[in-house]
Amino acid sequence: GAGVSQTPSNKVTEKGKYVELRCDPISGHTALYWYRQSLGQGPEFLIYFQGTGAADDSGLPNDRFFAVRPEGSVSTLKIQRTERGDSAVYLCASSLSSTTGELFFGEGSRLTVL
Amino acid sequence: SQQGEEDPQALSIQEGENATMNCSYKTSINNLQWYRQNSGRGLVHLILIRSNEREKHSGRLRVTLDTSKKSSSLLITASRAADTASYFCATVPGSNDYKLSFGAGTTVTVRA
């Protein structure tokens, strides 16, 4: 597609449930990033992929969070045993390479944990 | 952790006026970028300025960078209602090429 696509755009779940958020980056972009944005805050880095491998997952808050990018394109962010504090907008971005250029962001997936 | 801090947190101006917002950061950088976010939407890249540059222009946007003061400013000239959005600075550390660190943003409201 023309831009970064994220699904679902909204997800409401109950505490303790498992959630998957999907990101389809711009075709040809090898670098993919996940960020989390809480209300009134800037995005916070979660994880970065270069190709299929997670080059840096230092931003993942705990082991309930996991992300994959098996074929170097689409990525899935997985959250186990969701907690109310996980409620936020999860943003995906891609870039042409891992160099220091601009990131192209999707519209985000808004997660609400009740 | 967020490295950049924007100032002010919020700004309200009349259409046609200029809007200036500032960003301060803590550690050395490779480059600094500004993004815009309309309410409920994703971030859109506006401009990138490298550590060896002092000023950059793009349309009605002017960005300055002072590495000695670890600060940057974004000026929007002749503002329009469509400029109403949150603006974020993001820094790229010198040692890590990929990890953008965002500030909390400046919310700009342009009144018609």
Side-chain angles (χ1 to χ4, degrees):
Chain A
V4 177
S5 175
Q6 290 189 246
T7 54
S9 55
N10 276 289
K11 176 72 178 179
V12 180
T13 191
E14 293 179 344
K15 181 174 176 295
K17 298 289 187 184
Y18 170 80
V19 164
E20 286 191 354
L21 306 175
R22 175 189 166 106
C23 173
D24 200 342
I26 292 172
S27 178
H29 281 195
T30 59
L32 184 145
Y33 313 77
W34 283 98
Y35 282 81
R36 178 168 74 172
Q37 186 176 25
S38 300
L39 194 62
Q41 299 296 314
E44 288 188 292
F45 171 81
L46 294 178
I47 187 169
Y48 155 70
F49 287 91
Q50 180 56 41
T52 60
D56 185 340
D57 64 358
S58 62
L60 294 178
N62 52 60
D63 61 7
R64 295 185 299 104
F65 288 76
F66 190 71
V68 295
R69 195 186 185 198
E71 297 176 359
S73 178
V74 171
S75 175
T76 305
L77 178 64
K78 308 179 181 201
I79 310 174
Q80 297 178 320
R81 303 182 305 280
T82 51
E83 300 177 356
R84 292 194 180 88
D86 299 336
S87 295
V89 176
Y90 289 82
L91 294 164
C92 178
S94 68
S95 67
L96 199 54
S97 70
S98 63
T99 57
T100 57
E102 65 179 286
L103 299 190
F104 295 83
F105 281 85
E107 299 282 287
S109 292
R110 180 176 298 278
L111 174 66
T112 303
V113 182
L114 302 177
Chain B
S1 63
Q2 299 190 313
Q3 177 174 209
E5 287 186 15
E6 287 92 343
D7 172 61
Q9 288 185 327
L11 184 59
S12 180
I13 55 173
Q14 200 75 29
E15 204 165 26
E17 293 180 338
N18 296 342
T20 300
M21 60 210 86
N22 303 296
C23 169
S24 60
Y25 56 92
K26 298 185 181 81
T27 62
S28 63
I29 60 170
N30 178 290
N31 68 67
L32 184 144
Q33 301 177 31
W34 286 91
Y35 287 79
R36 184 187 74 227
Q37 185 177 38
N38 291 88
S39 182
R41 308 296 296 273
L43 282 81
V44 174
H45 181 267
L46 295 176
I47 200 164
L48 180 155
I49 187 166
R50 301 192 185 282
S51 59
N52 61 353
E53 297 175 311
R54 291 296 166 259
E55 187 170 314
K56 214 161 176 185
H57 296 255
S58 176
R60 294 183 294 111
L61 306 180
R62 173 179 167 253
V63 167
T64 63
L65 179 65
D66 187 335
T67 53
S68 66
K69 294 181 179 176
K70 292 188 170 57
S71 68
S72 173
S73 69
L74 171 65
L75 167 68
I76 306 172
T77 60
S79 62
R80 306 166 181 169
D83 295 328
T84 294
S86 292
Y87 292 82
F88 296 90
C89 70
T91 54
V92 177
S95 57
N96 295 311
D97 290 341
Y98 50 83
K99 193 185 297 185
L100 264 69
S101 295
F102 288 85
T106 293
T107 299
V108 175
T109 303
V110 181
R111 305 185 306 273

